[in-house]
Amino acid sequence: MGKQPTDRAEKQSPIERVAAFIVDKRKAFYLLYIGVAIFCVFSGSWVSVNDDLTSYLPPETETRRGLTIMNEEFVTFGTNRIMVDNITYDRAEALAEQAEALVGVKSVEFDGTADHYVRGAALFTVTYDGAADDPVSLAALEEVKTLLGGYDLYVTGDTGNSDSANLEAEMQVVMAVAVIIILLVLLFTSHTYMEIPVLIMTFGMAALMNKGTNFIFGEISFVSDSVAVVLQLALAIDYAIILCHRYTEEREHLEAREAATAALSKAIPEISGSSMTTLSGLGALCFMRFGIGKDLGLVLMKAIVLSLLSVFTLMPGLLMSFSRLIDKTHHKSFVPTISGWGRLAVKTRYVMPPLFVVLLIGGFIFSNRCPYAYGQTGLTTLTKSESRIAQDLVNDTFGSVNTLAVLVPKGDYESEGRLLRELDRMQETDTVLGLANVDAMDGYVLTDKLTPRQFAEMTDLDIEAARLLYSAYAVNQETYGQLISGVDSMGVPLIDMFLFVYDQMEEGYVTLDEDMTETIEDLHGQLTDAQLQLKGENYSRLVLQLNLPEESEETFAYLDTLHRTVAKYYPEDSFLVGNSTSDFDLSTSFGNDNLIISILTIVFVILVLVFTFQSSGLPVLLILVIQGSVWINFSFPYLQDSPLFFLSYLVVSSIQMGANIDYAIVIANRYVELKKTMPLKDAVVESLNQAFPTIITSGTILASAGVLIGVLSSTPSIASIGVCLGRGTIISIFLVMGILPQILLLGDVIIEKTALTIKSRLPIQTHSGTMRLNGHVRGYISGMVDANLSGILHGTINAAVESGALQTEGQAGSGKEAGSHEEPSAT
């Protein structure tokens, strides 16, 4: 190994001084990271994970406003649809009675209709005393499962079904398999075996820091919580690999400390530039109206920044500390040269680009016809969780349930009753429930207004006692005008009077006969539950069961009909809330989000590329290739006639543009540098050779991560993101390695003419034999040379003569200078 000159420290640039400080103070950084790691182990549990994607809807949407009202004013009891297969009706009926008697179970719906018993399969609709996530409901569900444990049991519903818990378990499997794949890839592409543990420690620290600092957001979605670590690994491991390769190169002629310092000082600008395109793509997600984009974008942007921090401040010290082991574990490169592929690309440069244009146009057309899904019920995954298997079986046997809530201003029971009756007549509704159509006694519904005489006749109460009750009710409600005009004409909704009578009974002011007392007490629990679910402080809730799919053109058309129907009775302040309305709101915001993300991603990336290459034409060529890969990627759902979850397009298109563009940048960087010293065709071949190890390493890791998520996740939204990310990365690799070199070769004139820093170009001269050199030459003379030369050369030259002259043997006698024998290339 060579040694660094003694005067190097005097000539260090600011970035070299920073690099030297990081390497020299590595032990202090180790202590700092140990402390941070201990903190992050505990702080990782501080973050709150949100399972509800609807909470990220734009606040002005109808569904979001309606959900806010429902959460504030109503109680929604937890429920489960539980199917028991291979059971007789009599046995199912007995089990239903036993289940209803369990602590925490409010009711069990079961009867002999096709809604609850079909071909030996029984369906119990179980309602609990608490909300879906209430411990009372969860405990009661476990009791029900224990009761039915000896049967073929399938449980569906929100109670006891945590998407985040299922996804977290699946992502642990994905992560384990991804680590194995990454190790194999690194073993194949690394220079020494010991650099692999250094890479793993560096990334492990970055991943731990990202998860441990998510608490700064207060709450993140289960999507971000589960996939962030896998995507961080796939997107950011490049940075560690770049620094590692730089160190290996520097170590060939420098001592370990100087090699680590030089590698870091050179890698910081390169890695920072590379990360900017990824950060740009993720940053575009933050401008989505659908809040999940901002949630995922911020978490992943933080992941990239922390990965950079780990690579810049932890990894140099590790390389220095493990330098001896790294030196001892060198192995030959397993990555083959692909000169043959490069020469093929050069030969087909007039054939493949026209085909790419056809693919580009077709991809644009087909991707714009991509069928999108805005809910998850209609999506399929290769892996299915127990809850998804149960849901599919229950839906296949008894049909799916599409529940819709209608929120209307409370108090006008007459309008509510008329609306309920009109809704009940619609062919799209199976059941309609509201206070104004719940049967009470003797043919009355809960909201019917009864006079004292009608109430007395229904309850067998003395008329005078009934009048006293009504008078007390008027005083309680401070409606003194009723007392003046006479209580006999006073009408009070039955539900209000029942609840008032119960309160008076509890306080000892009213005494009823034994039968009526028992009836009132039984009714009180039902009426209280009805009020909690259907009557809020400002709104009443009507619950509809639709016989329409959750998401379809017919369903969305019916929502318009429903809006018009409700508006006849409640012109203002009414809301529809349900999965169908959520899907509709998402569909209306998708177009705007898609446009914003597409424009911002391209603008951000172009700005980074213009700054990087100092050219306005080259960024356009690079964007063209990657945007083409995006269009081709999202043509597949159309060609396969398979709906794509809308979020997959928004997330993957931004990641694909922001991350996969790095592959194009790697090749373009090599090409721009190499064409200064060799013919364009040779520059293309050599740039592919030099870029291939980086691209195959990064691309394989990112594609593997995407495919693993797509194959192993049972959550449709996450699996869809994985499939698109894996497929898109593979397409990008093929286009970057196959089409981009040809576009660079054919578009070199454009690159030259659009350079922001215009320099006169010196031709590349290629000669063999005897020639006289007199001047400054930059290029290859049987090996690279960059020097002032004067004398006779016997060999081959492929270089630019920056000053002076070059004469071949024949020209030396005539005094003529040699000209260029190759097409020009830019400086």
Side-chain angles (χ1 to χ4, degrees):
M1 299 281 179
K3 292 193 175 182
Q4 187 181 24
T6 56
D7 63 343
R8 181 178 175 86
E10 299 176 2
K11 300 179 181 179
Q12 283 185 326
S13 65
I15 195 170
E16 287 176 324
R17 289 195 292 270
V18 171
F21 174 81
I22 292 172
V23 173
D24 292 339
K25 302 298 181 182
R26 58 189 177 280
K27 293 182 179 179
F29 280 103
Y30 293 163
L31 290 175
L32 176 63
Y33 274 105
I34 290 172
V36 170
I38 294 172
F39 172 80
C40 289
V41 167
F42 293 99
S43 63
S45 60
W46 297 352
V47 66
S48 175
V49 179
N50 187 347
D51 283 358
D52 184 15
L53 284 180
T54 59
S55 63
Y56 294 95
L57 286 167
E60 70 275 10
T61 59
E62 180 181 29
T63 302
R64 183 65 264 154
R65 294 168 65 193
L67 284 170
T68 301
I69 293 171
M70 282 176 51
N71 292 335
E72 292 175 350
E73 298 196 11
F74 300 95
V75 173
T76 302
F77 293 113
T79 60
N80 284 114
R81 298 176 81 205
I82 301 177
M83 187 178 85
V84 180
D85 206 0
N86 301 315
I87 190 172
T88 64
Y89 176 79
D90 292 339
R91 184 57 185 154
E93 189 174 37
L95 288 173
E97 293 176 0
Q98 294 176 45
E100 194 166 26
L102 295 174
V103 175
V105 176
K106 185 177 294 294
S107 64
V108 178
E109 292 181 28
F110 177 75
D111 54 42
T113 66
D115 292 335
H116 290 278
Y117 190 81
V118 175
R119 299 184 301 276
L123 181 65
F124 304 136
T125 304
V126 183
T127 304
Y128 306 102
D129 288 335
D133 57 353
D134 193 299
V136 172
S137 301
L138 297 175
L141 172 59
E142 293 305 315
E143 291 294 323
V144 173
K145 287 181 178 180
T146 301
L147 174 66
L148 305 176
Y151 299 89
D152 295 333
L153 191 65
Y154 304 96
V155 181
T156 69
D158 292 335
T159 306
N161 180 24
S162 173
D163 287 337
S164 62
N166 293 337
L167 190 55
E168 183 177 1
E170 292 169 352
M171 287 303 107
Q172 290 176 355
V173 177
V174 170
M175 190 64 191
V177 179
V179 168
I180 294 174
I181 292 176
I182 289 169
L183 287 174
L184 293 175
V185 172
L186 293 178
L187 282 172
F188 179 75
T189 59
S190 64
H191 296 98
T192 73
Y193 293 117
M194 194 56 205
E195 72 184 41
I196 296 174
V198 173
L199 292 170
I200 296 299
M201 284 188 282
T202 302
F203 178 78
M205 188 67 236
L208 180 60
M209 287 195 298
N210 190 50
K211 192 169 184 64
T213 54
N214 281 334
F215 72 90
I216 65 175
F217 299 123
E219 179 182 81
I220 63 173
S221 71
F222 73 97
V223 176
S224 301
D225 184 61
S226 58
V227 304
V229 66
V230 180
L231 292 181
Q232 180 185 7
L233 172 61
L235 293 172
I237 200 169
D238 290 8
Y239 312 145
I241 293 172
I242 290 173
L243 178 58
C244 201
H245 287 178
R246 279 285 187 183
Y247 172 78
T248 303
E249 293 171 4
E250 298 294 335
R251 187 72 178 97
E252 292 179 1
H253 57 275
L254 293 174
E255 296 295 342
R257 176 193 175 277
E258 287 72 24
T261 302
L264 179 60
S265 63
K266 293 177 180 179
I268 286 177
E270 182 180 355
I271 294 172
S272 300
S274 175
S275 67
M276 287 304 298
T277 55
T278 303
L279 289 171
S280 298
L282 296 173
L285 286 175
C286 297
F287 291 88
M288 283 174 57
R289 293 177 66 239
F290 186 34
I292 196 69
K294 181 179 180 181
D295 180 84
L296 184 59
L298 288 176
V299 171
L300 288 179
M301 288 175 72
K302 178 167 66 68
I304 298 299
V305 171
L306 291 175
S307 296
L308 291 173
L309 185 65
S310 183
V311 169
F312 291 158
T313 60
L314 175 62
M315 190 173 180
L318 293 175
L319 290 171
M320 174 68 186
S321 298
F322 289 98
S323 59
R324 291 184 180 178
L325 290 174
I326 292 175
D327 292 342
K328 292 179 180 179
T329 57
H330 273 275
H331 60 78
K332 70 175 183 178
S333 175
F334 300 117
V335 180
T337 59
I338 56 170
S339 300
W341 175 266
R343 287 191 292 270
L344 179 63
V346 171
K347 289 179 180 179
T348 58
R349 65 187 182 277
Y350 297 114
V351 177
M352 296 307 295
L355 293 178
F356 172 66
V357 171
V358 174
L359 278 177
L360 198 67
I361 296 173
F364 175 76
I365 295 172
F366 294 151
S367 63
N368 281 317
R369 296 179 181 178
C370 177
Y372 293 105
Y374 302 94
Q376 301 191 56
T377 56
L379 300 175
T380 58
T381 56
L382 292 175
T383 300
K384 290 188 177 182
S385 63
E386 289 186 10
S387 61
R388 188 58 186 255
I389 293 172
Q391 180 178 314
D392 290 344
L393 285 172
V394 172
N395 290 345
D396 290 343
T397 307
F398 294 98
S400 59
V401 174
N402 187 6
T403 304
L404 188 69
V406 182
L407 304 181
V408 296
K410 78 164 189 177
D412 188 352
Y413 289 134
E414 292 183 4
S415 295
E416 184 178 325
R418 292 197 301 272
L419 174 59
L420 285 168
R421 288 190 289 274
E422 182 168 352
L423 295 177
D424 195 35
R425 291 193 295 269
M426 291 182 171
Q427 62 180 8
E428 293 88 355
T429 58
D430 284 336
T431 63
V432 177
L433 176 66
L435 286 178
N437 70 349
V438 175
D439 291 333
M441 298 172 61
D442 297 345
Y444 292 112
V445 296
L446 288 178
T447 57
D448 283 341
K449 292 183 177 181
L450 273 64
T451 63
R453 181 170 297 281
Q454 291 172 318
F455 186 77
E457 291 174 352
M458 185 186 70
T459 59
D460 292 331
L461 191 66
D462 181 76
I463 183 61
E464 293 302 324
R467 286 170 177 159
L468 286 174
L469 275 175
Y470 271 64
S471 297
Y473 179 85
V475 172
N476 181 266
Q477 299 295 313
E478 299 181 354
T479 54
Y480 302 110
Q482 294 283 358
L483 294 176
I484 297 173
S485 61
V487 296
D488 284 342
S489 62
M490 180 179 176
V492 178
L494 190 54
I495 183 174
D496 295 340
M497 184 52 66
F498 270 136
L499 293 173
F500 179 73
V501 170
Y502 179 83
D503 291 339
Q504 299 303 302
M505 286 171 50
E506 288 293 294
E507 295 175 10
Y509 297 134
V510 173
T511 302
L512 301 176
D513 62 53
E514 185 176 343
D515 290 341
M516 183 52 61
T517 298
E518 184 177 350
T519 300
I520 294 293
E521 289 177 345
D522 289 343
L523 278 173
H524 178 262
Q526 299 176 32
L527 295 177
T528 301
D529 288 346
Q531 275 201 317
L532 289 173
Q533 296 180 84
L534 302 175
K535 183 180 179 181
E537 182 179 351
N538 302 297
Y539 289 87
S540 290
R541 178 163 65 173
L542 318 180
V543 181
L544 284 61
Q545 297 287 350
L546 307 182
N547 51 34
L548 297 171
E550 177 185 312
E551 179 185 352
S552 68
E553 292 183 5
E554 183 184 4
T555 303
F556 291 165
Y558 174 69
L559 294 180
D560 287 337
T561 301
L562 195 54
H563 273 117
R564 291 193 297 270
T565 303
V566 174
K568 290 193 300 184
Y569 303 93
Y570 300 93
E572 298 178 355
D573 295 332
S574 62
F575 303 94
L576 307 184
V577 184
N579 288 339
S580 292
T581 61
S582 173
D583 296 347
F584 179 75
D585 286 338
L586 290 172
S587 69
T588 56
S589 67
F590 171 70
N592 184 63
D593 282 344
N594 185 20
L595 182 63
I596 288 176
I597 286 181
S598 298
I599 292 176
L600 289 180
T601 301
I602 292 176
V603 169
F604 290 160
V605 171
I606 284 181
L607 289 176
V608 172
L609 294 179
V610 168
F611 178 78
T612 301
F613 290 105
Q614 295 293 298
S615 168
S616 58
L618 183 55
V620 173
L621 297 178
L622 301 186
I623 291 288
L624 185 67
V625 173
I626 300 301
Q627 185 61 58
S629 72
V630 172
W631 288 335
I632 294 171
N633 185 18
F634 292 104
S635 297
F636 279 80
Y638 169 76
L639 297 174
Q640 295 170 343
D641 193 24
S642 175
L644 173 72
F645 190 57
F646 79 103
L647 187 60
S648 304
Y649 183 88
L650 298 175
V651 172
V652 174
S653 61
S654 61
I655 291 179
Q656 193 174 345
M657 178 61 73
N660 292 172
I661 194 75
D662 284 352
Y663 309 154
I665 292 173
V666 170
I667 291 179
N669 264 327
R670 301 291 196 282
Y671 172 76
V672 169
E673 183 64 27
L674 290 170
K675 73 174 186 174
K676 296 177 182 178
T677 58
M678 62 176 64
L680 298 184
K681 296 175 184 178
D682 293 343
V684 165
V685 175
E686 185 59 26
S687 64
L688 286 175
N689 263 330
Q690 293 184 14
F692 180 65
T694 301
I695 294 174
I696 197 64
T697 303
S698 174
T700 301
I701 291 173
L702 184 56
S704 298
V707 171
L708 285 172
I709 292 173
V711 171
L712 297 179
S713 177
S714 63
T715 304
S717 57
I718 304 302
S720 180
I721 290 175
V723 169
C724 293
L725 183 59
R727 183 176 61 216
T729 300
I730 293 171
I731 294 171
S732 296
I733 292 173
F734 274 108
L735 292 185
V736 165
M737 294 296 296
I739 301 298
L740 178 60
Q742 300 170 332
I743 291 179
L744 291 175
L745 194 56
L746 296 176
D748 191 75
V749 174
I750 297 176
I751 298 172
E752 286 300 304
K753 290 183 179 296
T754 57
L756 302 182
T757 54
I758 300 176
K759 298 179 180 179
S760 58
R761 188 201 166 275
L762 296 172
I764 301 298
Q765 302 187 41
T766 302
H767 304 285
S768 295
T770 301
M771 63 205 81
R772 178 182 296 277
L773 297 174
N774 184 18
H776 187 85
V777 179
R778 177 177 175 80
Y780 287 90
I781 303 179
S782 295
M784 178 64 184
V785 65
D786 187 356
N788 291 311
L789 300 176
S790 179
I792 302 297
L793 169 67
H794 300 281
T796 300
I797 185 170
N798 182 29
V801 182
E802 297 181 355
S803 64
L806 181 151
Q807 295 176 321
T808 63
E809 185 177 27
Q811 293 168 331
S814 64
K816 296 181 180 179
E817 295 182 4
S820 173
H821 289 197
E822 280 286 339
E823 66 264 41
S825 68
T827 301

